[in-house]
Amino acid sequence: MATVQDHGSATGHRGWLGLYQRGVGGRPLPGAALPQLMARGTLLAEFVLERGQHGALPLVHLATHAGWPRLLSLALTGDGRLMVRQRQGEAHAAVSLGAADFLGGGGRFRLTYRWNAPARHSLLTLESLDGGAIRQAVGTNPLPMPGADLSALLAGKGAAVHGDALRWLALSEAMVPVGPGAAFAPSTLINTPTGPRPAMQISAGDLVQTADAGAQEVLWSGRVALPALGSLAPIRLGAGRFGRTHDLWVLPHTRIAMAGSTVEYLFGTDCVLVEARHLVDGTSVNQIERASTLAWHGILLRGHHLLVADGQRIESLYTGALASSPTLAATTALADVAAMGQLPTHHRPALRELRPFEAASLAAAHARFHAPVAA
């Protein structure tokens, strides 16, 4: 069975302190130490809802009177709101956002809670991983997190209780960005006019050689460290079918160009984009979870184009209409680009993107006829 490779400098906690997985448990990451009091940081979690699931639903609940009364609660309310509540002695804090319109459809969701007690600011983000919707709410006066409570939160024992819908959670002392910013391993070889270079050696202002538009200037090239769990678990695209000489490691949402006679027959076009998660077949494409973190790289161009990674066409970062939402853009890895007014709007992908059921049809046809479809 395939294992997650080192990716050169792709590993490393980069601010991550600990992880929890349902059915496995959790603890601080090796070498990471929880502070006695965490004034700022990020709590990242994924949960799954059944379609039409109604009523109040706790995700994380921590209540203790050790020292003084303390409460930390992440929950869905009966009216379809996601809420974070804190209590420490007589001090209280809360932030919530309404999401009944897409929570009712069920599916996979990711929440990001960022707090900065000294700055008296918090941010709650909810992403629908199947529908693509994203919503945010700003809070004020968040409370710092005691280390003992964070330890219990990671362990899922004692004062902390994790709801049945929770799949995993992770804790970071950094302000973890949301939205676009990462796609493939930093060691991925990307074509440039002067030859292939590892993505981590490509900087803003450099040129890359795209498959659809020739040489293009890089607007942003950067890295984001993320847990290797759930919807963020790495996908290995096997050498031979995809990369010419090396396996390619990508995040599940990264779109890959696929071509061949099967694509033409099914969709009436010579090449399409497919999210890597839809290509998992257990042989040449595998998704592998592990209780660790990995660093991922992203390359932003003025237009949405096809980078060439060891012979395989793979998308550059796609921003869509992010530039029209400056508040959201400021919380992504592309915040500096947005602040300078240089964040591009991508009106449409470089190629037609397959919907999930179309990707399933392509995968089934490939399995049946063994047709080469990587481009």
Side-chain angles (χ1 to χ4, degrees):
M1 179 173 160
T3 57
V4 179
Q5 300 300 307
D6 192 305
H7 305 329
S9 63
T11 57
H13 301 326
R14 292 181 176 269
W16 290 100
L17 299 176
L19 308 169
Y20 166 86
Q21 293 173 271
R22 171 161 296 282
V24 178
R27 61 187 183 282
L29 290 166
L34 295 176
Q36 289 188 343
L37 192 66
M38 197 162 164
R40 59 178 65 84
T42 301
L43 185 63
L44 186 67
E46 287 189 4
F47 61 95
V48 177
L49 299 180
E50 299 295 331
R51 178 178 291 274
Q53 191 168 353
H54 297 291
L57 183 68
L59 300 173
V60 172
H61 188 82
L62 187 153
T64 180
H65 285 78
W68 76 99
R70 300 192 305 280
L71 169 73
L72 173 63
S73 171
L74 282 72
L76 301 177
T77 65
D79 60 353
R81 300 185 70 81
L82 176 63
M83 176 173 283
V84 177
R85 292 188 299 134
Q86 290 180 281
R87 177 191 174 192
Q88 294 175 13
E90 298 300 319
H92 297 262
V95 57
S96 71
L97 58 81
D101 50 341
F102 62 82
L103 287 173
R108 303 171 306 141
F109 300 89
R110 182 187 305 135
L111 71 86
T112 306
Y113 176 62
R114 306 191 333 187
W115 76 95
N116 187 331
R120 299 183 177 183
H121 180 272
S122 66
L123 180 71
L124 179 61
T125 303
L126 180 65
E127 300 173 76
S128 171
L129 300 175
D130 298 312
I134 184 169
R135 198 157 295 170
Q136 293 183 318
V138 175
T140 58
N141 297 317
L143 304 178
M145 304 273 197
D149 292 354
L150 296 175
S151 181
L153 192 70
L154 291 176
K157 299 178 181 178
V161 177
H162 294 153
D164 292 339
L166 185 73
R167 291 299 177 263
W168 62 266
L169 63 80
L171 178 70
S172 174
E173 59 186 352
M175 296 289 105
V176 177
V178 301
F184 37 76
S187 58
T188 303
L189 294 176
I190 302 296
N191 279 13
T192 76
T194 57
R197 291 166 56 191
M200 59 188 172
Q201 295 180 9
I202 295 174
S203 303
D206 291 348
L207 295 178
V208 292
Q209 190 71 27
T210 68
D212 59 319
Q216 294 290 315
E217 182 181 1
V218 174
L219 294 183
W220 180 87
S221 180
R223 201 173 309 178
V224 179
L226 297 167
L229 297 173
S231 69
L232 300 175
I235 288 183
R236 181 191 67 87
L237 304 172
R241 182 182 171 195
F242 294 91
R244 288 196 184 115
T245 59
H246 298 87
D247 292 345
L248 297 177
W249 292 89
V250 300
L251 280 170
H253 64 265
T254 304
R255 293 180 291 193
I256 311 300
M258 309 294 283
S261 58
T262 306
V263 170
E264 293 185 35
Y265 175 76
L266 290 176
F267 309 113
T269 186
D270 60 354
C271 196
V272 294
L273 287 175
V274 186
E275 289 188 27
R277 64 190 176 103
H278 297 313
L279 300 174
V280 175
D281 58 13
T283 53
S284 58
V285 185
N286 296 278
Q287 186 169 23
I288 304 159
E289 278 195 318
R290 75 177 190 184
S292 186
T293 60
L294 292 172
W296 298 96
H297 207 88
I299 290 177
L300 176 68
L301 308 177
R302 188 157 302 281
H304 184 245
H305 296 296
L306 301 178
L307 304 170
V308 181
D310 194 27
Q312 171 65 49
R313 287 183 281 177
I314 186 171
E315 69 169 340
S316 61
L317 288 180
Y318 183 76
T319 62
L322 181 62
S324 65
S325 302
T327 302
L328 174 59
T331 65
T332 72
L334 305 175
D336 290 344
V337 181
M340 293 186 291
Q342 296 180 2
L343 187 64
T345 295
H346 295 153
H347 296 286
R348 61 182 62 86
L351 296 172
R352 177 191 168 188
E353 179 187 8
L354 296 191
R355 290 168 287 184
F357 75 89
E358 293 176 318
S361 297
L362 178 60
H366 175 256
R368 182 177 179 183
F369 299 112
H370 306 289
V373 293

